[in-house]
Amino acid sequence: MQTRPVAPPAGGLGWANLGMDIVSVTRVRRLLTLYGEDFFRRMLTPGELADCRTSARLDVLGLCGRIAAKEAAFKTLRVRAVFLPWLDIVVRRSEGGWPLVELRGPAAAMAAESGIAAITVTISHDVDYAVAVAAPVLEPGPPEGPVHPAHPEEPAQPAPAAAHDCASAAGAPTAHHTPRRHPMSDGLQLVKNWLLARHEELDDIAPDLDLIENRLIDSLSFVEFVFLLEQHSGRSIQMETLEVDEIRTLAAIETHFFAARAVQA
């Protein structure tokens, strides 16, 4: 999927696409308890996990910090309609202890297209939250290509992705309520119930409501959402090839993941 920046390319004097993200420690601890370390292998490289590991267990604050840093770094790229390439934005601990960001593959290409040579990030932890702020290091002239790896000893990996929070700058989109011609499948009803349980402010979800633009699926919940789809659809999902429009609405999810099972039944 080709992506384009939604803001003017970086590079002018004084220009900076800042990114910021906050991650709940309670939320990450719940995911670790439910799914174990394998859940986070879709989001963090072996080197990143090693940085978060203590002699006894994974450090939850360390996980939260890296997740927030990846999201903040991605926000500096100013792209939309594309999933966050979790394993292509690598956040490692430097010898001095501060975080370093390495861009790979699609993330490096998006940065180069925006005139960004590298991304610098800072992370702060509290008892309940981790916060990260990222800023681009701008190219002095025309983009010259991807950033050199900060950790060349760690091999590049295929990039699974997570849904990026890409709410419209003009405000929350308005859902168009369109009557369905067919009853909702059992699998889709379970997906809808999962979403409603996490958004208690909603009484219902229209079939054509944009789940991404309305933030019903964000970057962190996307990985869990894929687990849910795999479980209820009986399909193995490759996140690196999954397209945004396949999960944008409940109607799209039914078409791509449950329609074939309904026909077979």
Side-chain angles (χ1 to χ4, degrees):
M1 176 188 300
Q2 186 178 10
T3 62
R4 301 292 298 179
V6 297
L13 185 63
W15 181 273
N17 294 336
L18 295 180
M20 180 178 179
D21 195 61
I22 183 170
V23 172
S24 164
V25 173
T26 300
R27 188 177 180 188
V28 171
R29 184 177 288 116
R30 179 186 67 84
L31 293 172
L32 186 59
T33 300
L34 283 175
Y35 304 111
E37 185 175 322
D38 284 347
F39 180 88
F40 295 94
R41 295 186 188 279
R42 297 194 179 193
M43 306 167 70
L44 280 74
T45 67
E48 290 174 308
L49 286 170
D51 286 346
C52 298
R53 198 179 305 282
T54 68
S55 59
R57 62 182 65 87
L58 283 176
D59 173 35
V60 175
L61 277 177
L63 290 175
C64 292
R66 276 154 185 78
I67 291 168
K70 286 170 180 269
E71 177 71 24
F74 186 55
K75 288 176 179 177
T76 69
L77 302 179
R78 294 295 195 272
V79 294
R80 64 180 301 160
V82 59
F83 295 133
L84 192 163
W86 285 104
L87 298 186
D88 280 336
I89 300 176
V90 181
V91 181
R92 297 296 309 273
R93 183 187 300 122
S94 70
E95 293 182 1
W98 52 82
L100 295 175
V101 177
E102 173 196 343
L103 301 177
R104 299 172 173 173
M110 284 184 268
E113 187 176 8
S114 294
I116 296 174
I119 296 173
T120 182
V121 67
T122 183
I123 302 171
S124 182
H125 303 90
D126 196 357
V127 175
D128 298 319
Y129 296 95
V131 178
V133 177
V137 178
L138 305 182
E139 292 276 9
E144 297 178 358
V147 179
H148 295 291
H151 295 269
E153 75 280 359
E154 185 176 328
Q157 303 183 30
H164 174 52
D165 175 11
C166 50
S168 170
T174 301
H176 299 285
H177 297 267
T178 303
R180 292 186 58 81
R181 295 182 179 179
H182 304 287
M184 184 175 295
S185 66
D186 292 342
L188 187 65
Q189 185 64 59
L190 291 170
V191 170
K192 180 179 177 179
N193 292 344
W194 185 87
L195 291 168
L196 287 171
R198 283 153 180 77
H199 297 276
E200 296 180 354
E201 74 279 7
L202 298 178
D203 296 326
D204 196 13
I205 302 174
D208 57 346
L209 179 69
D210 193 316
L211 305 176
I212 307 300
E213 295 286 342
N214 284 278
R215 306 185 185 186
L216 271 67
I217 303 175
D218 61 16
S219 296
L220 183 55
S221 68
F222 177 73
V223 182
E224 187 176 10
F225 186 75
V226 169
F227 273 51
L228 180 79
L229 280 180
E230 288 182 332
Q231 178 182 355
H232 295 310
S233 69
R235 288 179 46 186
S236 176
I237 300 174
Q238 301 298 318
M239 295 199 330
E240 62 269 21
T241 61
L242 187 63
E243 297 188 2
V244 175
D245 287 342
E246 294 179 2
I247 63 153
R248 188 175 291 280
T249 66
L250 289 177
I253 292 169
E254 183 161 42
T255 297
H256 288 94
F257 296 97
F258 296 108
R261 296 187 69 186
V263 171
Q264 293 174 1

